[in-house]
Each structure stands twice: as C-alpha cells, then as structure tokens.
Amino acid sequence: MSKPIIVGITGGSGSGKTLFMNSLISQIKSASLLSMDNYYVEISKQKKDEEGIEDFDRLESIDHQQYIEDLKKLIKGESISYKEYTFNNSNSKSKIVTIESQPVILVEGIFILYIHEIRELLDLKLYIEAPDYLMMKRRIIRDANERGYDLNDVLYRYEHHVTPSYTKYIEPSKKWADLIIPNHENFNTALKVVSTYLNH
C-alpha cells in the first residue's frame, strides 16, 4: 500500500471540527479517523486548578507521544487499538476502538498544528473557524449532552481553561493551516471542495 494522505483538522473548542471531520469521512471512499479526544491522560492524573477543577485544555492533559506513535503506525499501514475516553461521564461506558489504516487518514485535535512533530506528519492542514459566541453555545450543548456537565461547570471551564488555551495555543497555530474554513453558518462548500480533492 502506498503512503496514505494525512489530513489534519483543528480549530477552537466548539468550532465544528468534529462535525466537519465526521461529515468529511462520510464522503470519502476509504478513510480512517484518529481523534485526539481519545488520548487524554486518565482523569486521576489530570492537573486541577485552584478551584479543584480538572483542566483538560492544557498541553499536558493529552498523551501526545502515544498519539504520535499511533499515527505513525497508521501511516505505515498498521492497525491500532485504544480505549475510548469518556471524560468521567458516568452515563457513558468506554470501549476498545480498533482503527485500520486507509488511503486517507483524518487527524483531529486542538493541538495538532501547534505540536511540531504532529504538524510535520500532515499533508493537508485544515483550520475550522467560528465566532466566539457560537463556539461557546456549541460547547454548552455538547458538554451537557455528551459529558454530563451542568451550565455553571461549562461556563467556568470555558472562561478559565478553554479561552486561555485557545488564545495561547490554538488560534496562533492557524498560521500553519493550508486552508482556513469559516463555520459561521455552515461549511458545505469547503466540505465539497476537500472531499472532491481527496476522492480524486
């Protein structure tokens, strides 16, 4: 098998990068998906802030080395397995996920452009962009539905964890993107362009 095309997808929390990734993979003939969301360090080892709240938006909150190793295996044509991360959501049970290498590998995560060793592995780098108010709205809905956080918890994390990390790491990494995709209302045109290119 020839070397796969590695497509990196990043953006702020709530920008719509996961939705774009899922939409893209549904339109590509043969693709694997590797999300950084499943490489968080276990919650007992996550650093807490001065209020005793775990901060999942630090660089150190994610096992980047394991993420890089697994991505390199996929690039070499090997399959990988990992335990799904549930963010301490008692209503969700983690499962073992196995990913097979495919001609296209979609790589998603908030730090994928910031971390040099990951960035160098990407053939196409996409940055999903959205206004702050939309990112916060989407974050509130997602964290309530998928992670069981209440509104006060979400707003606290957004102010004290998400925003500082976005300002320091994520937004500046936009300079390394090949394409910046606005997601104010939808990303349909960009989705069509990227999927057509990858299928070709």
Tab-separated table of all heavy atoms in Angstrom, residues 97-149:
chain	number	residue	atom	x	y	z
A	97	VAL	N	-11.520	0.644	20.886
A	97	VAL	CA	-11.711	1.046	19.492
A	97	VAL	C	-10.514	0.572	18.672
A	97	VAL	O	-9.366	0.775	19.071
A	97	VAL	CB	-11.848	2.577	19.369
A	97	VAL	CG1	-11.985	2.985	17.903
A	97	VAL	CG2	-13.038	3.072	20.181
A	98	THR	N	-10.773	-0.081	17.551
A	98	THR	CA	-9.713	-0.504	16.633
A	98	THR	C	-9.843	0.267	15.331
A	98	THR	O	-10.941	0.383	14.778
A	98	THR	CB	-9.799	-2.014	16.349
A	98	THR	OG1	-9.622	-2.731	17.580
A	98	THR	CG2	-8.711	-2.441	15.373
A	99	ILE	N	-8.724	0.816	14.863
A	99	ILE	CA	-8.711	1.599	13.633
A	99	ILE	C	-7.768	0.943	12.633
A	99	ILE	O	-6.619	0.643	12.957
A	99	ILE	CB	-8.258	3.047	13.894
A	99	ILE	CG1	-9.229	3.740	14.856
A	99	ILE	CG2	-8.169	3.829	12.591
A	99	ILE	CD1	-8.823	5.151	15.203
A	100	GLU	N	-8.266	0.729	11.431
A	100	GLU	CA	-7.454	0.185	10.353
A	100	GLU	C	-6.888	1.321	9.509
A	100	GLU	O	-7.538	2.351	9.315
A	100	GLU	CB	-8.304	-0.741	9.469
A	100	GLU	CG	-8.988	-1.884	10.194
A	100	GLU	CD	-8.012	-2.951	10.658
A	100	GLU	OE1	-6.916	-3.023	10.064
A	100	GLU	OE2	-8.361	-3.704	11.579
A	101	SER	N	-5.695	1.153	9.005
A	101	SER	CA	-5.094	2.148	8.119
A	101	SER	C	-5.836	2.156	6.783
A	101	SER	O	-6.205	1.110	6.260
A	101	SER	CB	-3.617	1.839	7.899
A	101	SER	OG	-3.021	2.818	7.075
A	102	GLN	N	-6.070	3.369	6.253
A	102	GLN	CA	-6.768	3.545	4.988
A	102	GLN	C	-5.980	4.524	4.117
A	102	GLN	O	-5.061	5.193	4.594
A	102	GLN	CB	-8.185	4.084	5.241
A	102	GLN	CG	-9.092	3.172	6.038
A	102	GLN	CD	-9.559	1.951	5.258
A	102	GLN	OE1	-9.380	1.863	4.039
A	102	GLN	NE2	-10.147	0.985	5.949
A	103	PRO	N	-6.331	4.648	2.844
A	103	PRO	CA	-5.614	5.584	1.961
A	103	PRO	C	-5.670	7.041	2.424
A	103	PRO	O	-4.786	7.827	2.106
A	103	PRO	CB	-6.324	5.406	0.614
A	103	PRO	CG	-6.842	4.011	0.652
A	103	PRO	CD	-7.259	3.785	2.081
A	104	VAL	N	-6.737	7.407	3.143
A	104	VAL	CA	-6.845	8.738	3.735
A	104	VAL	C	-6.994	8.580	5.240
A	104	VAL	O	-7.811	7.790	5.709
A	104	VAL	CB	-8.041	9.526	3.170
A	104	VAL	CG1	-8.188	10.877	3.895
A	104	VAL	CG2	-7.887	9.752	1.674
A	105	ILE	N	-6.197	9.323	6.001
A	105	ILE	CA	-6.303	9.301	7.462
A	105	ILE	C	-6.629	10.707	7.936
A	105	ILE	O	-5.867	11.656	7.698
A	105	ILE	CB	-4.997	8.812	8.115
A	105	ILE	CG1	-4.690	7.378	7.662
A	105	ILE	CG2	-5.098	8.889	9.637
A	105	ILE	CD1	-3.356	6.857	8.131
A	106	LEU	N	-7.773	10.863	8.588
A	106	LEU	CA	-8.198	12.145	9.136
A	106	LEU	C	-7.731	12.241	10.578
A	106	LEU	O	-8.019	11.367	11.389
A	106	LEU	CB	-9.720	12.291	9.052
A	106	LEU	CG	-10.348	12.137	7.663
A	106	LEU	CD1	-11.847	12.351	7.745
A	106	LEU	CD2	-9.718	13.110	6.671
A	107	VAL	N	-7.012	13.305	10.882
A	107	VAL	CA	-6.405	13.506	12.194
A	107	VAL	C	-7.022	14.765	12.808
A	107	VAL	O	-6.887	15.851	12.238
A	107	VAL	CB	-4.876	13.662	12.054
A	107	VAL	CG1	-4.240	13.952	13.387
A	107	VAL	CG2	-4.269	12.420	11.423
A	108	GLU	N	-7.687	14.619	13.958
A	108	GLU	CA	-8.400	15.754	14.543
A	108	GLU	C	-7.964	16.008	15.975
A	108	GLU	O	-7.727	15.074	16.735
A	108	GLU	CB	-9.913	15.487	14.490
A	108	GLU	CG	-10.772	16.585	15.061
A	108	GLU	CD	-11.281	16.284	16.467
A	108	GLU	OE1	-10.968	15.207	16.994
A	108	GLU	OE2	-11.984	17.140	17.027
A	109	GLY	N	-7.827	17.295	16.335
A	109	GLY	CA	-7.475	17.644	17.703
A	109	GLY	C	-7.090	19.106	17.832
A	109	GLY	O	-6.690	19.747	16.855
A	110	ILE	N	-7.197	19.640	19.043
A	110	ILE	CA	-6.978	21.070	19.229
A	110	ILE	C	-5.509	21.474	19.119
A	110	ILE	O	-5.198	22.627	18.826
A	110	ILE	CB	-7.560	21.561	20.571
A	110	ILE	CG1	-6.961	20.789	21.757
A	110	ILE	CG2	-9.072	21.448	20.562
A	110	ILE	CD1	-7.439	21.300	23.112
A	111	PHE	N	-4.584	20.531	19.342
A	111	PHE	CA	-3.163	20.877	19.345
A	111	PHE	C	-2.384	20.340	18.152
A	111	PHE	O	-1.154	20.414	18.128
A	111	PHE	CB	-2.495	20.357	20.630
A	111	PHE	CG	-3.035	20.956	21.894
A	111	PHE	CD1	-3.522	20.129	22.909
A	111	PHE	CD2	-3.055	22.324	22.095
A	111	PHE	CE1	-4.020	20.668	24.099
A	111	PHE	CE2	-3.545	22.877	23.274
A	111	PHE	CZ	-4.029	22.049	24.274
A	112	ILE	N	-3.046	19.807	17.141
A	112	ILE	CA	-2.317	19.092	16.085
A	112	ILE	C	-1.433	20.008	15.236
A	112	ILE	O	-0.438	19.550	14.688
A	112	ILE	CB	-3.251	18.274	15.172
A	112	ILE	CG1	-4.234	19.180	14.436
A	112	ILE	CG2	-3.962	17.182	15.950
A	112	ILE	CD1	-4.958	18.475	13.315
A	113	LEU	N	-1.773	21.280	15.118
A	113	LEU	CA	-0.906	22.195	14.385
A	113	LEU	C	0.150	22.819	15.289
A	113	LEU	O	1.236	23.174	14.825
A	113	LEU	CB	-1.724	23.311	13.712
A	113	LEU	CG	-2.670	22.887	12.590
A	113	LEU	CD1	-3.238	24.124	11.898
A	113	LEU	CD2	-1.972	21.997	11.579
A	114	TYR	N	-0.155	22.939	16.554
A	114	TYR	CA	0.789	23.561	17.488
A	114	TYR	C	1.996	22.660	17.744
A	114	TYR	O	3.121	23.138	17.871
A	114	TYR	CB	0.097	23.888	18.806
A	114	TYR	CG	0.999	24.612	19.784
A	114	TYR	CD1	1.196	25.987	19.691
A	114	TYR	CD2	1.671	23.925	20.789
A	114	TYR	CE1	2.037	26.651	20.564
A	114	TYR	CE2	2.517	24.581	21.673
A	114	TYR	CZ	2.694	25.944	21.555
A	114	TYR	OH	3.538	26.598	22.419
A	115	ILE	N	1.764	21.351	17.812
A	115	ILE	CA	2.844	20.408	18.118
A	115	ILE	C	3.596	20.059	16.832
A	115	ILE	O	3.037	19.460	15.909
A	115	ILE	CB	2.279	19.142	18.793
A	115	ILE	CG1	1.620	19.528	20.117
A	115	ILE	CG2	3.382	18.114	19.033
A	115	ILE	CD1	0.863	18.412	20.764
A	116	HIS	N	4.843	20.428	16.803
A	116	HIS	CA	5.651	20.332	15.582
A	116	HIS	C	5.706	18.911	15.031
A	116	HIS	O	5.570	18.697	13.816
A	116	HIS	CB	7.064	20.843	15.871
A	116	HIS	CG	7.991	20.745	14.699
A	116	HIS	ND1	8.811	19.648	14.482
A	116	HIS	CD2	8.209	21.595	13.666
A	116	HIS	CE1	9.495	19.835	13.378
A	116	HIS	NE2	9.165	20.999	12.862
A	117	GLU	N	5.892	17.932	15.889
A	117	GLU	CA	6.064	16.547	15.418
A	117	GLU	C	4.800	16.015	14.764
A	117	GLU	O	4.871	15.195	13.843
A	117	GLU	CB	6.484	15.638	16.579
A	117	GLU	CG	6.983	14.283	16.107
A	117	GLU	CD	7.577	13.454	17.222
A	117	GLU	OE1	7.720	13.970	18.353
A	117	GLU	OE2	7.910	12.285	16.967
A	118	ILE	N	3.636	16.472	15.228
A	118	ILE	CA	2.375	16.084	14.585
A	118	ILE	C	2.205	16.864	13.290
A	118	ILE	O	1.859	16.293	12.240
A	118	ILE	CB	1.169	16.330	15.517
A	118	ILE	CG1	1.277	15.480	16.781
A	118	ILE	CG2	-0.142	16.031	14.781
A	118	ILE	CD1	0.186	15.738	17.800
A	119	ARG	N	2.448	18.149	13.345
A	119	ARG	CA	2.273	19.016	12.175
A	119	ARG	C	3.096	18.531	10.981
A	119	ARG	O	2.646	18.581	9.835
A	119	ARG	CB	2.670	20.442	12.552
A	119	ARG	CG	2.348	21.477	11.492
A	119	ARG	CD	2.564	22.888	12.019
A	119	ARG	NE	3.966	23.223	12.201
A	119	ARG	CZ	4.528	23.496	13.367
A	119	ARG	NH1	3.810	23.473	14.486
A	119	ARG	NH2	5.816	23.825	13.444
A	120	GLU	N	4.300	18.029	11.254
A	120	GLU	CA	5.177	17.575	10.175
A	120	GLU	C	4.671	16.309	9.488
A	120	GLU	O	5.112	15.980	8.384
A	120	GLU	CB	6.587	17.333	10.730
A	120	GLU	CG	7.328	18.611	11.113
A	120	GLU	CD	7.542	19.528	9.928
A	120	GLU	OE1	8.219	19.098	8.979
A	120	GLU	OE2	7.024	20.662	9.940
A	121	LEU	N	3.751	15.599	10.124
A	121	LEU	CA	3.207	14.373	9.542
A	121	LEU	C	1.998	14.636	8.647
A	121	LEU	O	1.522	13.734	7.957
A	121	LEU	CB	2.813	13.393	10.658
A	121	LEU	CG	3.950	12.850	11.523
A	121	LEU	CD1	3.381	12.049	12.693
A	121	LEU	CD2	4.909	11.996	10.706
A	122	LEU	N	1.496	15.868	8.643
A	122	LEU	CA	0.260	16.194	7.934
A	122	LEU	C	0.540	16.643	6.498
A	122	LEU	O	1.417	17.462	6.252
A	122	LEU	CB	-0.494	17.304	8.677
A	122	LEU	CG	-0.784	17.041	10.163
A	122	LEU	CD1	-1.456	18.264	10.785
A	122	LEU	CD2	-1.646	15.800	10.340
A	123	ASP	N	-0.241	16.102	5.572
A	123	ASP	CA	-0.135	16.508	4.173
A	123	ASP	C	-1.058	17.680	3.854
A	123	ASP	O	-0.756	18.497	2.983
A	123	ASP	CB	-0.490	15.326	3.258
A	123	ASP	CG	0.446	14.150	3.448
A	123	ASP	OD1	1.674	14.347	3.349
A	123	ASP	OD2	-0.047	13.037	3.720
A	124	LEU	N	-2.190	17.753	4.524
A	124	LEU	CA	-3.157	18.835	4.328
A	124	LEU	C	-3.642	19.281	5.701
A	124	LEU	O	-4.126	18.469	6.487
A	124	LEU	CB	-4.332	18.358	3.464
A	124	LEU	CG	-5.451	19.370	3.205
A	124	LEU	CD1	-4.923	20.563	2.414
A	124	LEU	CD2	-6.616	18.700	2.460
A	125	LYS	N	-3.535	20.582	5.978
A	125	LYS	CA	-3.851	21.105	7.312
A	125	LYS	C	-5.044	22.051	7.215
A	125	LYS	O	-4.972	23.084	6.549
A	125	LYS	CB	-2.630	21.808	7.904
A	125	LYS	CG	-1.425	20.876	8.068
A	125	LYS	CD	-0.184	21.590	8.567
A	125	LYS	CE	0.501	22.416	7.500
A	125	LYS	NZ	1.107	21.567	6.436
A	126	LEU	N	-6.133	21.689	7.895
A	126	LEU	CA	-7.373	22.466	7.859
A	126	LEU	C	-7.653	23.079	9.226
A	126	LEU	O	-7.544	22.403	10.249
A	126	LEU	CB	-8.552	21.575	7.454
A	126	LEU	CG	-8.379	20.716	6.192
A	126	LEU	CD1	-9.619	19.856	5.981
A	126	LEU	CD2	-8.104	21.584	4.972
A	127	TYR	N	-8.035	24.345	9.216
A	127	TYR	CA	-8.381	25.048	10.460
A	127	TYR	C	-9.835	25.514	10.352
A	127	TYR	O	-10.182	26.286	9.464
A	127	TYR	CB	-7.458	26.247	10.678
A	127	TYR	CG	-7.651	26.954	12.005
A	127	TYR	CD1	-6.832	26.665	13.093
A	127	TYR	CD2	-8.655	27.910	12.164
A	127	TYR	CE1	-7.013	27.310	14.307
A	127	TYR	CE2	-8.841	28.553	13.375
A	127	TYR	CZ	-8.019	28.261	14.444
A	127	TYR	OH	-8.205	28.889	15.655
A	128	ILE	N	-10.692	25.010	11.261
A	128	ILE	CA	-12.103	25.377	11.263
A	128	ILE	C	-12.278	26.586	12.180
A	128	ILE	O	-11.875	26.556	13.343
A	128	ILE	CB	-13.000	24.220	11.739
A	128	ILE	CG1	-12.610	22.907	11.043
A	128	ILE	CG2	-14.466	24.544	11.502
A	128	ILE	CD1	-12.750	22.916	9.547
A	129	GLU	N	-12.905	27.636	11.663
A	129	GLU	CA	-13.011	28.899	12.388
A	129	GLU	C	-14.474	29.255	12.621
A	129	GLU	O	-15.316	29.065	11.742
A	129	GLU	CB	-12.325	29.999	11.576
A	129	GLU	CG	-12.125	31.301	12.299
A	129	GLU	CD	-11.268	32.251	11.478
A	129	GLU	OE1	-11.672	32.576	10.340
A	129	GLU	OE2	-10.201	32.653	11.965
A	130	ALA	N	-14.783	29.775	13.825
A	130	ALA	CA	-16.142	30.194	14.153
A	130	ALA	C	-16.085	31.331	15.172
A	130	ALA	O	-15.103	31.448	15.918
A	130	ALA	CB	-16.950	29.022	14.716
A	131	PRO	N	-17.117	32.180	15.236
A	131	PRO	CA	-17.148	33.262	16.219
A	131	PRO	C	-17.184	32.718	17.647
A	131	PRO	O	-17.686	31.610	17.889
A	131	PRO	CB	-18.445	34.008	15.889
A	131	PRO	CG	-18.815	33.581	14.508
A	131	PRO	CD	-18.287	32.190	14.349
A	132	ASP	N	-16.684	33.513	18.588
A	132	ASP	CA	-16.624	33.085	19.988
A	132	ASP	C	-17.994	32.683	20.530
A	132	ASP	O	-18.115	31.680	21.242
A	132	ASP	CB	-16.035	34.199	20.860
A	132	ASP	CG	-14.555	34.420	20.583
A	132	ASP	OD1	-13.930	33.535	19.965
A	132	ASP	OD2	-14.034	35.478	20.989
A	133	TYR	N	-19.026	33.479	20.227
A	133	TYR	CA	-20.338	33.190	20.805
A	133	TYR	C	-20.893	31.858	20.307
A	133	TYR	O	-21.566	31.127	21.059
A	133	TYR	CB	-21.322	34.329	20.513
A	133	TYR	CG	-21.837	34.386	19.086
A	133	TYR	CD1	-23.017	33.727	18.715
A	133	TYR	CD2	-21.152	35.097	18.111
A	133	TYR	CE1	-23.486	33.775	17.417
A	133	TYR	CE2	-21.612	35.151	16.814
A	133	TYR	CZ	-22.780	34.496	16.466
A	133	TYR	OH	-23.249	34.540	15.177
A	134	LEU	N	-20.580	31.507	19.049
A	134	LEU	CA	-21.042	30.229	18.520
A	134	LEU	C	-20.267	29.067	19.135
A	134	LEU	O	-20.847	28.023	19.451
A	134	LEU	CB	-20.886	30.196	16.996
A	134	LEU	CG	-22.066	30.654	16.152
A	134	LEU	CD1	-21.749	30.488	14.678
A	134	LEU	CD2	-23.334	29.915	16.521
A	135	MET	N	-18.965	29.254	19.320
A	135	MET	CA	-18.160	28.193	19.928
A	135	MET	C	-18.631	27.917	21.354
A	135	MET	O	-18.709	26.756	21.776
A	135	MET	CB	-16.674	28.568	19.894
A	135	MET	CG	-16.070	28.539	18.502
A	135	MET	SD	-14.237	28.531	18.478
A	135	MET	CE	-13.887	30.171	19.107
A	136	MET	N	-18.947	28.982	22.098
A	136	MET	CA	-19.413	28.777	23.461
A	136	MET	C	-20.774	28.088	23.480
A	136	MET	O	-21.012	27.182	24.280
A	136	MET	CB	-19.497	30.107	24.212
A	136	MET	CG	-19.923	29.939	25.671
A	136	MET	SD	-19.598	31.397	26.689
A	136	MET	CE	-20.722	32.579	25.933
A	137	LYS	N	-21.681	28.488	22.593
A	137	LYS	CA	-23.004	27.863	22.509
A	137	LYS	C	-22.881	26.367	22.204
A	137	LYS	O	-23.520	25.526	22.858
A	137	LYS	CB	-23.837	28.550	21.428
A	137	LYS	CG	-25.208	27.916	21.192
A	137	LYS	CD	-25.942	28.605	20.049
A	137	LYS	CE	-27.260	27.911	19.749
A	137	LYS	NZ	-27.957	28.566	18.604
A	138	ARG	N	-22.052	26.034	21.236
A	138	ARG	CA	-21.870	24.632	20.854
A	138	ARG	C	-21.218	23.841	21.978
A	138	ARG	O	-21.550	22.679	22.215
A	138	ARG	CB	-21.031	24.542	19.579
A	138	ARG	CG	-21.723	25.088	18.349
A	138	ARG	CD	-20.743	25.304	17.204
A	138	ARG	NE	-21.373	25.836	16.019
A	138	ARG	CZ	-20.717	26.416	15.021
A	138	ARG	NH1	-19.394	26.514	15.067
A	138	ARG	NH2	-21.358	26.887	13.974
A	139	ARG	N	-20.286	24.480	22.694
A	139	ARG	CA	-19.618	23.823	23.819
A	139	ARG	C	-20.626	23.509	24.922
A	139	ARG	O	-20.598	22.426	25.505
A	139	ARG	CB	-18.515	24.738	24.351
A	139	ARG	CG	-17.855	24.281	25.647
A	139	ARG	CD	-16.644	23.415	25.386
A	139	ARG	NE	-16.015	22.999	26.623
A	139	ARG	CZ	-14.749	22.656	26.745
A	139	ARG	NH1	-13.958	22.680	25.688
A	139	ARG	NH2	-14.243	22.267	27.888
A	140	ILE	N	-21.521	24.448	25.228
A	140	ILE	CA	-22.532	24.236	26.259
A	140	ILE	C	-23.408	23.035	25.911
A	140	ILE	O	-23.659	22.153	26.739
A	140	ILE	CB	-23.395	25.498	26.440
A	140	ILE	CG1	-22.572	26.613	27.096
A	140	ILE	CG2	-24.637	25.195	27.286
A	140	ILE	CD1	-23.268	27.958	27.121
A	141	ILE	N	-23.869	22.998	24.658
A	141	ILE	CA	-24.759	21.908	24.224
A	141	ILE	C	-24.018	20.572	24.254
A	141	ILE	O	-24.543	19.572	24.760
A	141	ILE	CB	-25.285	22.204	22.799
A	141	ILE	CG1	-26.192	23.432	22.836
A	141	ILE	CG2	-26.039	20.992	22.254
A	141	ILE	CD1	-26.602	23.926	21.463
A	142	ARG	N	-22.795	20.552	23.737
A	142	ARG	CA	-22.034	19.295	23.700
A	142	ARG	C	-21.721	18.772	25.091
A	142	ARG	O	-21.901	17.589	25.378
A	142	ARG	CB	-20.726	19.498	22.937
A	142	ARG	CG	-19.909	18.217	22.776
A	142	ARG	CD	-18.449	18.505	22.518
A	142	ARG	NE	-17.794	19.105	23.683
A	142	ARG	CZ	-16.546	19.551	23.684
A	142	ARG	NH1	-15.835	19.511	22.580
A	142	ARG	NH2	-16.005	20.061	24.782
A	143	ASP	N	-21.215	19.638	25.964
A	143	ASP	CA	-20.810	19.180	27.294
A	143	ASP	C	-21.995	18.737	28.141
A	143	ASP	O	-21.857	17.859	28.993
A	143	ASP	CB	-20.020	20.277	28.014
A	143	ASP	CG	-18.579	20.356	27.530
A	143	ASP	OD1	-18.231	19.591	26.616
A	143	ASP	OD2	-17.814	21.168	28.065
A	144	ALA	N	-23.151	19.330	27.906
A	144	ALA	CA	-24.348	18.896	28.624
A	144	ALA	C	-24.822	17.537	28.123
A	144	ALA	O	-25.133	16.638	28.915
A	144	ALA	CB	-25.455	19.934	28.471
A	145	ASN	N	-24.831	17.366	26.806
A	145	ASN	CA	-25.367	16.136	26.217
A	145	ASN	C	-24.391	14.960	26.278
A	145	ASN	O	-24.800	13.821	26.533
A	145	ASN	CB	-25.756	16.377	24.760
A	145	ASN	CG	-26.923	17.331	24.622
A	145	ASN	OD1	-27.692	17.513	25.558
A	145	ASN	ND2	-27.061	17.950	23.471
A	146	GLU	N	-23.097	15.215	26.036
A	146	GLU	CA	-22.132	14.122	25.902
A	146	GLU	C	-21.322	13.862	27.159
A	146	GLU	O	-20.871	12.735	27.368
A	146	GLU	CB	-21.179	14.425	24.740
A	146	GLU	CG	-21.862	14.527	23.383
A	146	GLU	CD	-20.887	14.836	22.269
A	146	GLU	OE1	-19.664	14.704	22.502
A	146	GLU	OE2	-21.326	15.208	21.170
A	147	ARG	N	-21.114	14.892	27.988
A	147	ARG	CA	-20.203	14.735	29.120
A	147	ARG	C	-20.863	14.953	30.471
A	147	ARG	O	-20.220	14.809	31.504
A	147	ARG	CB	-19.003	15.692	28.944
A	147	ARG	CG	-18.253	15.397	27.651
A	147	ARG	CD	-17.107	16.336	27.387
A	147	ARG	NE	-16.483	16.035	26.101
A	147	ARG	CZ	-15.499	16.729	25.563
A	147	ARG	NH1	-14.997	17.787	26.186
A	147	ARG	NH2	-14.993	16.384	24.393
A	148	GLY	N	-22.140	15.314	30.468
A	148	GLY	CA	-22.880	15.418	31.716
A	148	GLY	C	-22.515	16.609	32.591
A	148	GLY	O	-22.779	16.603	33.793
A	149	TYR	N	-21.912	17.663	32.005
A	149	TYR	CA	-21.549	18.850	32.783
A	149	TYR	C	-22.748	19.799	32.865
A	149	TYR	O	-23.474	19.978	31.896
A	149	TYR	CB	-20.389	19.609	32.124
A	149	TYR	CG	-19.087	18.847	32.039
A	149	TYR	CD1	-18.099	19.231	31.135
A	149	TYR	CD2	-18.823	17.743	32.843
A	149	TYR	CE1	-16.893	18.554	31.041
A	149	TYR	CE2	-17.624	17.064	32.751
A	149	TYR	CZ	-16.670	17.466	31.853
A	149	TYR	OH	-15.481	16.792	31.747
